Amino acid sequence: MHSQLVRPAGARREGLYLLGVCGVILLAWAAMVAQRHVVPVKTELAPWQITAFGNLNPAEQGLFGDLWATAVEIDALHKDNAGVWPSVEDLSDLAMPPFPQDAMWEGRGRHVWTANRAEYAGGHAVVYLGRTASTKDARTFALVLAHRHPPVPPSKETRDPPREKAEGAAAGPADAFFTVWIHPTGDTPFPPIAKLGDLAQAGWKEIVPVRGADAPKGDKK
Amino acid sequence: MRLLGVLMAAALLLSPGAALAQAKPKIGVTLHPYYSFVSHVVGDRAEVVPLIKVGFNVHNYEPQPDDLKRVMDFDALVTNGVGHDAFAAKIVQAAGMDGKLPIIYANDGVALIATAGYEGERKVPNSHTFVSITASIQQLYAIAEGLGKLHPDNAAYYRQNARAFATKLRQLKARYAQRIAGGGDMRIKVATIHGGYDYLLQEFGLEVTAVIEPAHGLSPSASQLRDTINKIKSADVNVIFSEIEFPDQVIDTIRNETGIRVYSFVHISDGPYTKEKFEEAIEYNMKQLTDAVLDVRGQKP
């Protein structure tokens, strides 16, 4: 006797196929969106820190960017010049921003720059202080560069407390570092150098950038 | 016997091994400005090789088979590394060079700014650090330092070259800054066609009020264009910076609808790779920028 199984008429299997195809399309679309989506950078901040991304006005962002880039060159000059930090006049003559009094200086608060150098156990440091002439344009800035002299390791007494906790926030060669700080007033006294931890207590805020190294890693291996 | 010795020495000099021993290291680069930067840094002590050929849009580039062969021949690769050359990571991975090829991320120490046009929580870093003087100088030093670690004998030479080019670029910028010095207000409201010029505008003290095309390579739709025109009108923009590659009809529409002056920048991402490209392009951009400022002030040269 010959028998044959006849499946009931219906679209159950076709429906499943269709669902599967829709699923694949959805997954592919989600993957594409995920790949193209721009990921905002999040920065962990300590109480004495602010972010260059969100806490500075455009003029201050420009000033900060200039100081951050020029710090690298100041460090190189210091190395090539027998450990002497360049003066404000040197930096202006070399057209290193933000030190020249050019058109940009005019529109960004007309900061008056002075420098103060100091020796401390294990190294030496310099502070370039830019007092603003117009707080409505931009606040007062300080660029702090410190250079440790190996093989003296930083001790608890000589370490800079904000820097210690903000490891990774600033950049620089292994034996040097720099930080950029901001203060709301134009007549602030010169920041203390020997103990930079006092900066935060004196009302200064360290500006933390989003660096290339902090950018989403999807672009790197 | 003496002749034999001379012949052997000559054979040794002409052998592939000797040629290899004297071959210059090959430094790969991903984008046009990095070709210029690295060429200036290494001088005649290394060969600079573009990773991808001329004529491709780097914003949506997909790796080609030739790229894989090329990258396998590199001794190091210099990249932007913050979103403008994501194709490099794909090529390195596909060629099996992951972890084998030293990669120098020129922007690792650079303070990035947020891309104009993305607001609030959507703030994202701008990858166009190479359309600037200041951020480019920082990258020059980073490249010199990175390559100096790979070739310690050349480290001082690389640093010296980086400084020489940095000095030249700074003097160039100072010359254009001088054009607009002492002439009036820099608080000029600016709209840009593309978010790629934020670093340059920022270092000249100009703030971007509106961005017409935040994502590169995508022309605005009719409704986006209408919104943009409305935004520019309400923002009371003084000048619009376009780019040479942008469709003329869109620019003409904006110019006609708003009555605002338009100047154009170069994105430095096409044409032949040359050592002089960056310098020429950035000077062109600074001329456009300062022309625009003078124009807005009524001091058009």
Side-chain angles (χ1 to χ4, degrees):
Chain A
M1 183 176 159
H2 176 74
S3 65
Q4 188 178 0
L5 183 66
V6 178
R7 293 185 185 281
R12 195 171 152 196
R13 182 167 292 185
E14 287 79 357
L16 285 173
Y17 288 153
L18 189 64
L19 266 176
V21 169
C22 289
V24 169
I25 291 169
L26 272 173
L27 281 173
W29 174 80
M32 199 178 74
V33 167
Q35 203 176 22
R36 294 187 67 86
H37 181 62
V38 281
V39 183
V41 174
K42 287 184 180 170
T43 311
E44 298 284 331
L45 294 175
W48 61 83
Q49 294 176 324
I50 60 172
T51 166
F53 241 43
N55 301 119
L56 302 180
N57 70 33
E60 291 170 343
Q61 281 178 21
L63 268 164
F64 172 73
D66 285 349
L67 283 172
W68 191 261
T70 293
V72 176
E73 290 199 85
I74 293 175
D75 187 65
L77 285 169
H78 166 264
K79 273 183 187 157
D80 293 347
N81 196 21
V84 176
W85 297 108
S87 68
V88 168
E89 293 72 28
D90 293 336
L91 297 171
S92 179
D93 290 346
L94 290 165
M96 289 188 181
F99 298 98
Q101 297 190 355
D102 53 17
M104 289 71 87
W105 175 83
E106 291 275 350
R108 284 177 175 169
R110 299 167 63 90
H111 289 72
V112 177
W113 290 95
T114 46
N116 210 348
R117 302 161 185 80
E119 298 285 331
Y120 66 93
H124 55 186
V126 63
V127 176
Y128 296 96
L129 173 67
R131 289 191 179 97
T132 182
S134 169
T135 49
K136 74 176 170 53
D137 289 326
R139 289 167 278 182
T140 290
F141 277 75
L143 168 64
V144 180
L145 289 105
H147 200 274
R148 291 190 179 113
H149 291 284
V152 183
S155 67
K156 277 197 171 177
E157 289 71 37
T158 59
R159 265 188 300 201
D160 162 29
R163 167 66 185 168
E164 186 189 355
K165 291 175 187 169
E167 206 63 54
D175 58 344
F177 68 83
F178 56 86
T179 46
V180 179
W181 298 74
I182 196 164
H183 194 279
T185 64
D187 56 354
T188 178
F190 219 98
I193 298 180
K195 203 176 169 194
L196 295 173
D198 292 348
L199 274 166
Q201 286 161 21
W204 288 86
K205 293 281 185 191
E206 182 188 356
I207 305 169
V208 178
V210 171
R211 297 171 304 158
D214 308 319
K217 303 297 181 203
D219 300 322
K220 299 180 181 182
K221 289 315 296 175
Chain B
M1 192 68 189
R2 196 172 165 186
L3 180 64
L4 186 65
V6 171
L7 287 173
M8 281 175 70
L12 199 66
L13 278 173
L14 292 171
S15 71
L20 197 66
Q22 292 179 352
K24 293 176 183 177
K26 278 189 181 175
I27 313 299
V29 293
T30 52
L31 306 170
H32 289 72
Y34 296 95
Y35 185 92
S36 300
F37 298 161
V38 177
S39 297
H40 279 280
V41 167
V42 300
D44 58 1
R45 298 193 186 175
E47 186 185 348
V48 189
V49 185
L51 177 58
I52 63 172
K53 290 180 184 170
V54 171
F56 290 99
N57 182 352
V58 295
H59 296 91
N60 53 13
Y61 185 78
E62 286 300 326
Q64 309 292 311
D66 278 357
D67 304 335
L68 308 191
K69 281 192 271 178
R70 210 172 295 119
V71 79
M72 292 172 82
D73 210 22
F74 289 165
D75 295 290
L77 177 64
V78 175
T79 73
N80 165 273
V82 285
H84 221 284
D85 47 17
F87 58 84
K90 291 182 195 168
I91 294 170
V92 170
Q93 190 174 37
M97 296 292 282
D98 247 354
K100 297 176 191 166
L101 178 68
I103 300 179
I104 295 166
Y105 299 109
N107 281 297
D108 266 5
V110 173
L112 305 177
I113 61 176
T115 305
Y118 293 102
E119 302 299 334
E121 289 301 308
R122 293 192 67 228
K123 277 187 176 178
V124 292
N126 192 322
S127 63
H128 299 82
T129 51
F130 51 83
V131 191
S132 79
I133 294 284
T134 303
S136 294
I137 287 175
Q138 197 174 353
Q139 291 179 82
L140 271 175
Y141 280 99
I143 291 166
E145 190 185 342
L147 290 176
K149 282 179 185 162
L150 297 174
H151 313 140
D153 291 348
N154 290 333
Y157 174 75
Y158 292 161
R159 194 168 64 241
Q160 184 187 341
N161 288 345
R163 178 172 297 166
F165 191 44
T167 303
K168 191 176 182 188
L169 292 176
R170 252 197 324 270
Q171 287 168 348
L172 193 64
K173 182 187 165 191
R175 202 159 73 230
Y176 282 92
Q178 186 59 34
R179 279 189 92 201
I180 52 173
D185 202 348
M186 287 295 290
R187 275 163 283 202
I188 292 167
K189 289 187 176 178
V190 167
T192 61
I193 291 295
H194 172 41
Y197 308 104
D198 297 354
Y199 289 92
L200 183 67
L201 292 164
Q202 186 190 65
E203 68 182 317
F204 274 86
L206 300 180
E207 184 187 347
V208 178
T209 305
V211 179
I212 295 166
E213 184 211 16
H216 199 257
L218 301 171
S219 291
S221 66
S223 63
Q224 285 171 327
L225 189 57
R226 188 190 59 239
D227 291 346
T228 298
I229 287 167
N230 290 338
K231 195 175 174 185
I232 291 171
K233 281 179 177 171
S234 64
D236 192 23
V237 168
N238 303 111
V239 61
I240 298 166
F241 287 107
S242 173
E243 64 182 28
I244 286 178
E245 299 83 0
F246 206 71
D248 287 343
Q249 66 268 30
V250 174
I251 295 300
D252 289 343
T253 306
I254 293 169
R255 185 190 285 119
N256 293 338
E257 289 294 319
T258 63
I260 295 168
R261 54 183 73 74
V262 179
Y263 286 82
S264 293
F265 285 143
V266 185
H267 191 272
I268 329 182
S269 61
D270 62 3
Y273 292 90
T274 66
K275 184 179 177 180
E276 298 76 24
K277 180 148 200 122
F278 173 77
E279 202 177 331
E280 290 165 357
I282 204 74
E283 178 163 14
Y284 175 87
N285 286 347
M286 287 193 290
K287 181 165 188 320
Q288 288 287 303
L289 188 153
T290 50
D291 276 353
V293 170
L294 293 173
D295 188 5
V296 172
R297 288 178 182 168
Q299 305 166 338
K300 194 171 182 180

